[in-house]
Amino acid sequence: TGIIILGSLIGTIFLNGLAGFALSRLKPLGSSILFTLIMWTMMMPQTLNLVPLFKNFLNFTIFHFNLTDTKWPMWIISVANCMNILMFKNFFDTISSAYVEAARIDGASDISIFTKIILPLSRPIIVVVAIRVAIANWDMFLWPYLILKTPENYTVSVMLYYMKTTFAVDKQVMAAFFSIIPPMIIFILFQKQIVHNDN
């Protein structure tokens, strides 16, 4: 579970942040259409994508890889998050364009502007997105249950589900209690950011 969360955090912050940066600052040709499509996909129920995604993970497009029993599907699902892209874009819109223009005058590339200027100025939104990603991946059950086949790869939520057939009730309750400790710690440490984001 920790490896899945770590990979999801890195992918989300870099790729979703880069997408938000492109929509906010670069605005390439067709960016308004792309932004509209992103907004539309947010209105689609997640169950609509369940079967097509699962079939793609069984036989990954073009390369024909079988991604079952690997962590890649969870990383892909976590990174492909329209809400995070929208949050990054909205935050980047509030950053003064003077920083970007000054960097362009100095000859900085778009990647350099993103990594050396935009990301350091975006710590508040990075913290908020990181909290959302960490909690969402900790609680994720459906995709790990469908994808992961060997007990060594089970996440916490899947392991708790399978414990009901192999462990006594008291051990199940104890395991469930310990499983909620990490989200509680995250909430205690970052409750100001969480409450501010909800408001």
Side-chain angles (χ1 to χ4, degrees), residues 27-161:
K27 297 181 179 178
L29 184 65
S31 59
S32 59
I33 298 175
L34 180 60
F35 182 72
T36 303
L37 291 175
I38 290 174
M39 297 297 293
W40 281 354
T41 57
M42 291 177 62
M43 294 184 285
M44 295 171 59
Q46 294 183 355
T47 53
L48 191 65
N49 301 324
L50 187 62
V51 174
L53 279 176
F54 186 71
K55 291 178 68 176
N56 278 320
F57 293 145
L58 287 175
N59 185 15
F60 198 66
T61 307
I62 300 175
F63 302 105
H64 303 290
F65 295 148
N66 186 346
L67 297 180
T68 57
D69 207 25
T70 68
K71 299 174 181 64
W72 282 102
M74 273 63 73
W75 289 335
I76 293 171
I77 291 167
S78 181
V79 170
N81 191 303
C82 299
M83 177 59 73
N84 291 335
I85 294 175
L86 183 61
M87 290 174 65
F88 275 116
K89 178 193 177 300
N90 289 340
F91 187 86
F92 294 158
D93 286 342
T94 64
I95 297 176
S96 174
S97 59
Y99 296 109
V100 177
E101 296 302 326
R104 291 194 193 282
I105 292 173
D106 291 337
S109 64
D110 292 331
I111 293 295
S112 296
I113 293 172
F114 175 69
T115 56
K116 297 179 180 180
I117 297 175
I118 298 297
L119 284 184
L121 293 173
S122 305
R123 289 178 184 172
I125 194 63
I126 289 175
V127 171
V128 171
V129 170
I131 293 169
R132 294 182 72 250
V133 171
I135 293 178
N137 280 273
W138 184 268
D139 294 337
M140 187 187 295
F141 172 76
L142 179 60
W143 282 111
Y145 176 73
L146 293 175
I147 296 295
L148 303 178
K149 304 300 180 183
T150 57
E152 292 79 11
N153 290 331
Y154 288 164
T155 60
V156 171
S157 58
V158 175
M159 184 59 74
L160 287 173
Y161 174 78

